[in-house]
Amino acid sequence: MVIGTLPSSAVTTAVPAYQQQLGNDCEATSLRMVLAARGVQVSDQDVLGHIGIDLAHPKAGVSGPLSGDPFQAFVGSPNGSEGAGTGFGVYYPPVARAAQSYGMSVAAAGQGISPAQLGSAVAAGHLAIVWVDYNWRDVAAGSYTAYDGRVVPYAGPSEHTVVVTAVSNGQYLINDPARGQLQISAAAFAAGYASYGDMAVIIQ
């Protein structure tokens, strides 16, 4: 099985599977799931308050003075439209800082965290928030220049964030804020994960 809904006998309950509360806030929901697994109950909106939202620079994928920097804050409205240039998402640094603000210990955060490293971390009891292509494709990333001059890697418009809860027998068990609990083959996971340069936040 490349991708599918977990059978009821395999559903994991240690990490609750929450649906995202806004159109684009998969990053906030992913962190909210991890926090709940560690005993911290919050809303997506509360998590977004810790991540930070930049409504002044809502665009992504195009260079210019209105283009946001997801390495600094959530770009645009969490309930906006990437196609309309009103909202996009956020990358690992603000998510890692938000996790720490709730008292979490971040074991690793960045790009270049291999699937093997993720597997080892999850086997050790950690949880991984990962950036992927929504359709589990390996999309060649382009880039754009944000308002602050940063060159931002961009593989949109289908950027998505999920939580890896377990790795077993070559399958990744995923809590997806849009689709629930899924089972993803190693090949499909590696493809989707590569789209954002193997970007993850690993929380102990």
Side-chain angles (χ1 to χ4, degrees):
M1 181 187 298
V2 172
I3 178 170
T5 303
L6 286 176
S8 58
S9 61
V11 169
T12 57
T13 58
V15 185
Y18 295 146
Q19 288 287 309
Q20 59 194 73
Q21 297 176 344
L22 301 171
N24 285 339
D25 75 332
C26 53
E27 300 92 348
T29 309
S30 293
L31 179 52
R32 180 179 165 226
M33 287 190 262
V34 171
L35 291 171
R38 298 294 186 254
V40 179
Q41 298 292 335
V42 293
S43 67
D44 282 18
Q45 290 81 0
D46 189 66
V47 173
L48 285 165
H50 286 252
I51 287 173
I53 301 171
D54 181 2
L55 297 176
H57 308 95
K59 294 186 177 181
V62 294
S63 300
L66 295 180
S67 297
D69 181 352
F71 290 100
Q72 294 293 331
F74 193 101
V75 173
S77 170
N79 208 27
S81 164
E82 187 175 354
T86 58
F88 170 55
V90 64
Y91 290 170
Y92 73 88
V95 173
R97 289 195 298 267
Q100 291 170 327
S101 75
Y102 285 107
M104 298 297 105
S105 178
V106 175
Q111 293 176 283
I113 299 173
S114 71
Q117 288 173 289
L118 282 180
S120 295
V122 172
H126 303 339
L127 294 171
I129 299 170
V130 300
W131 279 253
V132 299
D133 172 71
Y134 185 85
N135 295 305
W136 299 97
R137 304 163 300 177
D138 184 354
V139 178
S143 64
Y144 70 90
T145 302
Y147 74 95
D148 57 3
R150 186 194 296 268
V151 177
V152 177
Y154 178 78
S158 55
E159 177 262 348
H160 195 43
T161 307
V162 301
V163 180
V164 179
T165 64
V167 181
S168 178
N169 297 320
Q171 302 289 313
Y172 286 74
L173 303 186
I174 302 293
N175 277 14
D176 183 328
R179 291 172 288 200
Q181 292 187 313
L182 304 175
Q183 177 176 288
I184 308 292
S185 72
F189 180 86
Y193 184 49
S195 294
Y196 286 87
D198 292 357
M199 184 186 297
V201 173
I202 299 174
I203 297 175
Q204 293 182 343

